[in-house]
Amino acid sequence: MSKVISIINLKGGVGKTTITVALAEFLVVVKQYKVLVIDLDPQTNSTVSLIGEDEWEKRNKTNQTLYHLFKDHIDDTCDFNLEKSIIKECSNLYGGLSNLHLLPSSLDFVQIQDRLINIGQTALIRPFDILKRTVSSYINNNYDFVLVDCPPNLGIVTKNGLNISDYYLIPTIPDHLSTYGIPQIISNVNSFNRRTESNVQALGIIASMYRSNVTRHHTTLKTLQTKCAAGELPRLFDTKIPLAAKAADATHYEAEGINTLKQKYGSSGSNLYEAFSLLTEEFCEYVGC
Ligand SMILES: Nc1ncnc2c1ncn2[C@@H]1O[C@H](COP(=O)(O)OP(=O)(O)OP(=O)(O)O)[C@@H](O)[C@H]1O
Ligand SMILES: [Mg+2]
């Protein structure tokens, strides 16, 4: 059985994709697990980070992205083929990681998101069951972990991710506005659980783009810790992902000189490599691996 984790937040630009991709790479390289990343975000960021733009365009032209899965259900077409769509050697690390697979997204996804809401009125399938029906048994039989990179909202597409998930993770910048919506996310997932008789559990909150010299970050973390201790919020990971220029560089698939995890995430003055190593350890402790 695989463990499936959705990476979610209502807010955009808080590090969801960066954490998804890095965690996937560390789980594969350091822990030697077999991992699938599902890119549910029409922005296609984890797809482009893991395979580059040229490969994405090729896949998009041959109808092998998640957009085509959802489009099949709306337009009654049969273009999507799960096994053909999964890209079996991803990342620019070590010349490609054979145990890091990707179910890619597409920029075209943007065009059909609104139409998904109406699907339940005519089809025999609930709109949030589309992904589950297609991927569930395959992922259970083939992966140790599945990380689902979600768009910055809790709409139907994200609900498809939650519907296959055991856990969800909430990355956040530790400031007031970024953390403001966290209680809303939790109550939204709780009501999804009740409605669908699921049990998607909060794995925790991860502080990202943390700056140790910013007082606001300290005070926000203190507030989060107090609320976690009081049981108002799920656990706050001890590991904080620092703000580091290397994080933005890491999203460039074509970047030259990238081979090892240290080359990708470590450099003098950046402790991103260390932070992702610790995050991986903490993640494994909480999911029990
Ligand atoms: N630790 C970090 N330090 C510096 N920059 C970072 C860090 N993490 C992410 N970034 C940069 O911040 C931007 C947003 O990050 P990312 O794409 O991971 O966020 P996101 O939550 O997935 O955004 P979206 O909601 O748009 O999908 C990107 O340009 C990324 O390179
Ligand atoms: Mg993203």
Side-chain angles (χ1 to χ4, degrees):
M1 282 288 273
S2 58
K3 288 187 172 149
V4 185
I5 299 96
S6 276
I7 293 82
I8 63 172
N9 198 320
L10 282 170
K11 194 152 170 61
V14 293
K16 295 183 291 299
T17 299
T18 305
I19 288 172
T20 304
V21 170
L23 190 55
E25 291 175 332
F26 275 76
L27 284 170
V28 170
V29 175
V30 178
K31 297 286 180 182
Q32 276 148 37
Y33 286 120
K34 192 170 176 191
V35 178
L36 173 71
V37 170
I38 298 182
D39 186 359
L40 271 185
D41 189 348
Q43 295 181 93
T44 315
N45 290 167
S46 47
T47 297
V48 170
S49 295
L50 283 169
I51 61 169
E53 282 178 54
D54 292 347
E55 186 61 31
W56 169 72
E57 272 177 29
K58 240 189 271 169
R59 301 283 170 161
N60 202 40
K61 275 190 193 132
T62 54
N63 299 335
Q64 299 310 329
T65 77
L66 278 169
Y67 156 69
H68 300 97
L69 166 64
F70 286 92
K71 185 177 172 294
D72 278 352
H73 283 272
I74 292 174
D75 291 343
D76 224 5
T77 48
C78 292
D79 290 329
F80 182 82
N81 177 297
L82 179 63
E83 292 210 40
K84 268 197 205 158
S85 297
I86 292 179
I87 303 164
K88 302 218 163 61
E89 192 173 287
C90 297
S91 167
N92 51 4
L93 291 172
Y94 304 94
L97 300 173
S98 55
N99 276 342
L100 177 44
H101 296 187
L102 170 73
L103 197 43
S105 187
S106 168
L107 293 169
D108 297 332
F109 217 153
V110 177
Q111 299 159 19
I112 57 158
Q113 279 191 107
D114 296 344
R115 293 170 63 205
L116 279 171
I117 296 161
N118 302 322
I119 198 174
Q121 292 161 15
T122 50
L124 296 170
I125 184 168
R126 295 177 299 182
F128 52 80
D129 276 332
I130 294 173
L131 184 67
K132 184 174 195 167
R133 191 173 288 188
T134 310
V135 306
S136 255
S137 65
Y138 185 85
I139 59 179
N140 267 329
N141 292 328
N142 286 283
Y143 299 101
D144 299 304
F145 288 101
V146 178
L147 302 181
V148 188
D149 186 19
C150 294
N153 59 59
L154 296 171
I156 298 288
V157 174
T158 300
K159 293 282 165 34
N160 269 272
L162 284 172
N163 205 26
I164 60 167
S165 294
D166 303 295
Y167 300 102
Y168 63 100
L169 265 176
I170 309 175
T172 183
I173 300 170
D175 62 29
H176 181 60
L177 289 184
S178 301
T179 53
Y180 193 64
I182 293 178
Q184 190 61 29
I185 297 169
I186 292 157
S187 82
N188 192 289
V189 177
N190 287 344
S191 76
F192 176 79
N193 277 339
R194 281 194 298 276
R195 194 152 49 96
T196 59
E197 294 179 6
S198 322
N199 184 24
V200 191
Q201 294 173 48
L203 194 58
I205 299 166
I206 302 173
S208 107
M209 299 186 223
Y210 170 70
R211 284 181 287 162
S212 56
N213 57 350
V214 172
T215 312
R216 190 175 68 247
H217 283 198
H218 284 282
T219 50
T220 308
L221 284 177
K222 274 243 156 67
T223 308
L224 286 177
Q225 271 155 358
T226 307
K227 289 185 176 171
C228 296
E232 289 170 43
L233 292 177
R235 76 161 68 79
L236 177 66
F237 275 59
D238 290 333
T239 310
K240 300 180 266 299
I241 308 301
L243 185 85
K246 204 80 182 166
D249 298 345
T251 57
H252 289 282
Y253 179 81
E254 288 87 4
E256 284 187 17
I258 298 287
N259 194 38
T260 66
L261 277 175
K262 273 207 173 133
Q263 283 166 343
K264 189 162 181 173
Y265 293 105
S267 74
S268 53
S270 149
N271 47 4
L272 208 53
Y273 171 82
E274 196 189 331
F276 283 129
S277 301
L278 292 171
L279 181 72
T280 307
E281 294 301 329
E282 214 180 338
F283 171 91
C284 284
E285 185 190 329
Y286 300 150
V287 296
C289 62

